[in-house]
Amino acid sequence: MQRENFTSRFGVLMAMAGSAIGLGNMWRFPYMVGEYGGAAFIIIYILCVFLLSLPILLCEFIIGRRSQKNAFGAFKKLAPGTAWKWAGLISLVAPLIIVSYYSVIGGWSIEYFFKACTFGFTDYVTHEELNTMFNDLVSSVWIPIFGHTFFLLITALIVMGGVKGGIERFGKIMMPILFVVVVLIAVRAMTLDGASEGIAYLFKPDFSKLNAEVCAAALGQSFFSLSLGCGTMLTYASYVNKSENIAKSSVSIAVSDLIFALIAGCAIMPAVFAFGLNPQEGPGLVFKTLPFIFSQMPLGSLVAILFFMALLIAALTSSISLFEVGVAYLVEEKGMNRKKSCMLIFMITWITGIFCSLSFGPLSDFKIIGNTIFDFFDKLSANFLMTIGSFIVVMFAGWKMKKSDVMDEFTNGGTIKGNVKSFNFIWFLIRWVAPLTIILIFLSNLFL
Ligand code: PHE
């Protein structure tokens, strides 16, 4: 059977940027900036993106496009008869774990989107009331499970539509909408009275806040945000045309992801400061602080609808990429058809997701190594599996693949002159800088 490919350069960019741009940008990045000292964190983050995450992304591109296979099959094809194929297995587990908790947050976004559409936030006058509403929602049993189910169902249906008709089409339509909406919200937030303090918070660096923990957090976030180390970019790259310039595509993806995170910061922080609220609210920033701001600010009801719509789109384009990793594996390695594969992945992640959802309520006392199920999944994937997965791809491209093959893939057989020139520098980053830094982060995650 002919393998499906993305059909246009724009489609590739939208699908891959869609995977990268997600809750990581709109939910995690702003609260991390808040917790880790504003602009100083952003500067470290930018360095991490370009010096470390970008080379890893390139490795995923190289392995995926060269093999034209799923995350498991790629290693099997490029290093036949070796134990490397088991390395691909990590890439299959991580996305399942991430989807499980990602879709719980996706479910909350659905609830909040509906609340916004019915002008639900205007009934709440104090910040405490909104806190209570959020806590009541997430700790209840049925509503969040319903949201999670609904979110996962939409994800499965899009992936069922195929690479071209489902994933690429959804990205091409939704990503531009997402971008326009977030820019609009940022403009509204930055024109509020008192917004300038929030902008200063984002862009004025205070280096005294920096320490090893902040650097490790910035690195972890850059992996998470670029969807690295869990087979998603590798799988998508396997659908990329052989004539595409992968260096250019990777840079475009990394830059769009970064710009988007910054715009999301500009949509959130100025408003937080304009209303004299605490930027260090943590994960609750988006679901507790923002609805309060929306309930108070002029045009707030409209902004609330747009914001939660954006959050939902961003979450969906990422979760479909996570879903596709497992589906591509089942279709190519196990010979299942796409529909059945989607149903199977749906069932697995639906069940694990229910446990994640319940860990805010009835199962909140059930702890794994001191963490609730949700937190455990989050930490396990972001701090460990994605780091190990990234290590595997850089070691494979840098030390297992032949240098000539890597160069061939990176330069499209020597035809892209700019890539030929920069190859030695990239090769050095892939072989030395990336693996050594990953080991450092890994150790710091274990011990910090
Ligand atoms: N990059 C996505 C985000 O920023 C999350 C993600 C991680 C998606 C890993 C796919 C794979 O939200």
Side-chain angles (χ1 to χ4, degrees):
M1 198 177 72
Q2 178 76 24
R3 212 168 177 270
E4 263 193 292
N5 263 356
F6 289 131
T7 54
S8 66
R9 179 163 299 168
F10 182 67
V12 170
L13 186 67
M14 290 303 107
M16 292 182 106
S19 168
I21 295 171
L23 296 170
N25 305 61
M26 297 190 63
W27 171 71
R28 239 167 183 249
F29 184 77
Y31 85 71
M32 289 186 99
V33 173
E35 275 179 16
Y36 293 115
F41 175 81
I42 296 183
I43 293 175
I44 300 294
Y45 178 75
I46 292 176
L47 287 177
C48 296
V49 167
F50 288 101
L51 289 177
L52 191 67
S53 297
L54 196 55
I56 301 174
L57 179 58
L58 267 173
C59 293
E60 298 215 12
F61 255 106
I62 288 166
I63 300 171
R65 196 177 64 162
R66 187 138 198 105
S67 65
Q68 306 271 299
K69 286 275 180 206
N70 60 85
F72 180 78
F75 292 94
K76 215 168 70 178
K77 176 160 177 196
L78 297 180
T82 65
W84 276 100
K85 68 173 181 208
W86 301 115
L89 219 53
I90 290 227
S91 324
L92 296 178
V93 179
L96 294 179
I97 294 186
I98 302 175
V99 172
S100 315
Y101 73 83
Y102 211 82
S103 102
V104 172
I105 312 178
W108 300 344
S109 314
I110 295 182
E111 324 281 351
Y112 270 62
F113 175 61
F114 280 120
K115 245 200 174 58
C117 288
T118 50
F119 303 108
F121 300 126
T122 41
D123 302 342
Y124 298 88
V125 266
T126 66
H127 194 199
E128 278 65 49
E129 279 179 339
L130 278 154
N131 276 350
T132 318
M133 180 192 92
F134 176 74
N135 294 337
D136 288 349
L137 168 77
V138 301
S139 59
S140 63
V141 173
W142 296 109
I143 298 176
I145 290 186
F146 177 73
H148 153 68
T149 310
F150 196 43
F151 181 87
L152 210 53
L153 209 57
I154 306 175
T155 304
L157 286 175
I158 298 169
V159 176
M160 227 179 251
V163 174
K164 196 166 57 191
I167 301 174
E168 182 175 352
R169 189 158 62 163
F170 188 74
K172 276 202 306 211
I173 301 173
M174 288 304 180
M175 290 311 286
I177 297 180
L178 174 64
F179 188 76
V180 173
V181 167
V182 177
V183 169
L184 280 179
I185 301 172
V187 170
R188 168 69 282 218
M190 290 197 294
T191 47
L192 287 168
D193 278 343
S196 55
E197 230 184 297
I199 298 175
Y201 181 79
L202 278 173
F203 295 110
K204 216 161 77 201
D206 170 4
F207 289 102
S208 66
K209 300 247 172 65
L210 290 186
N211 56 32
E213 191 195 338
V214 172
C215 296
L219 268 171
Q221 169 64 10
S222 77
F223 279 17
F224 186 82
S225 195
L226 280 176
S227 311
L228 299 177
C230 52
T232 44
M233 290 307 194
L234 196 157
T235 305
Y236 271 12
S238 74
Y239 304 131
V240 170
N241 211 293
K242 284 281 182 193
S243 61
E244 207 69 43
N245 179 346
I246 57 175
K248 227 176 176 176
S249 310
S250 315
V251 173
S252 315
I253 293 161
V255 170
S256 347
D257 185 59
L258 177 65
I259 292 181
F260 196 91
L262 293 175
I263 300 178
C266 290
I268 293 174
M269 284 306 165
V272 171
F273 278 86
F275 285 90
L277 296 169
N278 177 13
Q280 302 190 327
E281 167 83 60
L285 193 63
V286 160
F287 292 103
K288 297 177 185 169
T289 310
L290 284 186
F292 172 67
I293 293 171
F294 297 146
S295 73
Q296 305 291 309
M297 81 186 195
L299 288 181
S301 305
L302 181 66
V303 180
I305 297 176
L306 291 177
F307 182 85
F308 287 107
M309 180 177 94
L311 195 65
L312 189 56
I313 296 176
L316 273 173
T317 51
S318 297
S319 76
I320 56 180
S321 72
L322 288 157
F323 215 82
E324 175 65 16
V325 178
V327 171
Y329 164 78
L330 291 175
V331 170
E332 289 176 12
E333 304 296 318
K334 300 287 165 210
M336 264 189 194
N337 68 31
R338 192 164 256 279
K339 198 166 155 197
K340 279 213 183 100
S341 312
C342 286
M343 279 168 12
L344 182 60
I345 302 285
F346 175 88
M347 281 318 289
I348 298 173
T349 47
W350 182 64
I351 293 170
T352 42
I354 288 179
F355 284 102
C356 287
S357 181
L358 292 176
S359 75
F360 288 92
L363 294 182
S364 61
D365 289 331
F366 180 81
K367 298 272 163 68
I368 308 174
I369 330 181
N371 292 289
T372 63
I373 304 174
F374 183 99
D375 289 344
F376 179 72
F377 276 21
D378 181 22
K379 287 192 183 148
L380 179 69
S381 51
N383 295 351
F384 292 100
L385 296 177
M386 294 177 86
T387 327
I388 297 174
S390 301
F391 188 69
I392 289 170
V393 291
V394 289
M395 290 308 280
F396 190 79
W399 297 90
K400 174 68 193 163
M401 282 178 77
K402 283 209 217 89
K403 185 176 177 184
S404 55
D405 286 350
V406 174
M407 176 143 171
D408 185 64
E409 201 57 45
F410 183 69
T411 60
N412 290 4
T415 56
I416 309 174
K417 295 290 169 252
N419 293 8
V420 174
K421 270 197 210 133
S422 56
F423 182 72
N424 278 334
F425 176 62
I426 301 288
W427 184 240
F428 172 72
L429 291 179
I430 293 179
R431 267 183 94 119
W432 295 103
V433 180
L436 290 175
T437 329
I438 297 174
I439 293 179
L440 266 180
I441 320 170
F442 193 72
L443 292 179
S444 71
N445 279 334
L446 273 184
F447 299 114
L448 279 185

